[in-house]
């Protein structure tokens, strides 16, 4: 059973999500929060597998709440999926940098929401190639000057894998591109995550852009 925490200041939105999620055999809403402070507290109390986190909430916004949850060493198993009104929300890149596993637009199809919760719970990132390039490319262009110093710990193959992750490729896509097995591709991705000290695949994407390994606007 995948446990879900809903964090949104609109009761109607929470009710809609709860009705959809609780109707599934493998999903259970274990709690709700109507502001960021409550979301952090309930995440610590309930230890959900996934938090659906609205960006704009009173007292503490979803970005700050995401940062607190993802920085807590006791909540490393909790995956945060941020909810936004617009796909290219300026806060989404910051949420990914803070440790969010991905994001969803609020008017997403019900089936896509269910898939997203399951994907996040499995440890994968919710970043399609097209959205990854547009979103992170746009905001990475406004961030600090790229530095490759962080990549010194990586082998040439690991840098290559990081660049492909940055473009939004799955392990299967990477395996085909590099002509290796999916298991080998997954091993390279896992080792790269460990060496860079990142929490999940979404943060690998951020690292690829921030280091300049993948350039905004470059489609590979």
């Amino acid at each position: 059973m995948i446990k879900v925490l809903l964090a949104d200041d609109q009761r109607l939105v929470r009710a809609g999500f709860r009705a959809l999620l609780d109707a599934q055999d493998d999903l259970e809403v274990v709690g709700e929060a109507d502001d960021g402070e409550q979301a952090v507290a309930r995440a610590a109390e309930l230890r959900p597998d996934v938090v659906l986190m609205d960006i704009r909430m009173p007292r503490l916004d979803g970005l700050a709440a995401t940062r607190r949850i993802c920085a807590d060493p006791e909540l490393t198993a909790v995956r945060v999926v941020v909810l936004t009104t617009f796909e290219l929300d300026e806060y989404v890149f910051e949420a990914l940098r803070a440790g969010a596993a991905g994001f969803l637009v609020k008017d997403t199809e019900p089936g896509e929401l269910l898939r997203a919760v399951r994907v996040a719970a499995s440890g994968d990132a919710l970043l399609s190639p097209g959205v990854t390039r547009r979103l992170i490319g746009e905001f990475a262009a406004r961030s600090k000057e790229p530095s490759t110093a962080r990549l010194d710990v990586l082998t040439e193959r690991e840098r290559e894998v990081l660049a492909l992750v940055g473009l939004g490729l799955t392990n299967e896509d990477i395996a085909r591109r590099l002509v290796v097995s999916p298991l080998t591709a997954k091993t390279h991705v896992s080792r790269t995550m460990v060496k860079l000290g990142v929490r999940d695949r979404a943060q690998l994407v951020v690292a690829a852009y921030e280091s300049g390994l993948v350039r905004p606007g470059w489609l590979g």
Side-chain angles (χ1 to χ4, degrees):
M1 186 67 74
I2 298 172
K3 298 181 294 182
V4 182
L5 171 65
L6 304 176
D8 195 298
D9 62 339
Q10 297 181 50
R11 183 177 298 176
L12 249 140
V13 170
R14 297 200 310 271
F17 284 159
R18 177 181 278 276
L20 175 65
L21 295 167
D22 279 345
Q24 308 303 307
D25 292 338
D26 61 332
L27 304 176
E28 177 190 11
V29 175
V30 293
E32 298 182 17
D34 56 19
D35 63 52
E37 290 280 5
Q38 195 175 69
V40 175
R42 302 233 71 188
E45 172 194 353
L46 300 170
R47 306 297 172 94
D49 299 298
V50 177
V51 179
L52 290 179
M53 180 82 74
D54 186 24
I55 287 280
R56 294 173 177 83
M57 290 189 292
R59 287 216 296 167
L60 188 71
D61 65 30
L63 176 59
T66 296
R67 187 175 291 113
R68 287 194 193 177
I69 291 171
C70 294
D72 189 332
E74 295 188 1
L75 299 178
T76 54
V78 177
R79 295 283 180 252
V80 178
V81 176
V82 296
L83 300 169
T84 179
T85 306
F86 304 104
E87 208 171 63
L88 290 181
D89 192 304
E90 64 181 303
Y91 296 109
V92 171
F93 178 65
E94 291 301 325
L96 295 176
R97 180 186 275 156
F103 70 96
L104 287 172
V105 288
K106 279 192 171 182
D107 62 353
T108 191
E109 291 294 323
E112 182 63 18
L113 173 69
L114 297 174
R115 186 193 73 83
V117 170
R118 294 177 178 121
V119 167
S122 74
D124 288 331
L126 302 171
L127 301 169
S128 68
V131 171
T132 295
R133 286 194 289 266
R134 284 174 22 237
L135 173 74
I136 301 195
E138 178 172 338
F139 296 109
R142 305 178 191 177
S143 66
K144 60 189 178 185
E145 195 67 25
S147 170
T148 59
R150 186 181 182 189
L151 305 183
D152 290 346
V153 297
L154 302 181
T155 64
E156 278 303 312
R157 177 44 63 95
E158 287 164 351
R159 286 187 183 216
E160 193 175 5
V161 167
L162 177 60
L164 295 175
V165 171
L167 290 175
L169 272 64
T170 65
N171 289 346
E172 289 72 21
D173 294 331
I174 293 171
R176 283 192 291 270
R177 182 75 67 91
L178 300 181
V179 195
V180 298
S181 72
L183 180 59
T184 298
K186 181 178 181 180
T187 299
H188 284 312
V189 171
S190 297
R191 286 176 178 168
T192 303
M193 288 173 58
V194 171
K195 286 186 177 182
L196 294 181
V198 300
R199 175 187 175 97
D200 55 29
R201 200 181 189 92
Q203 287 197 311
L204 271 187
V205 174
V206 174
Y209 276 86
E210 288 191 325
S211 67
L213 193 61
V214 176
R215 299 185 300 279
W218 177 49
L219 302 185

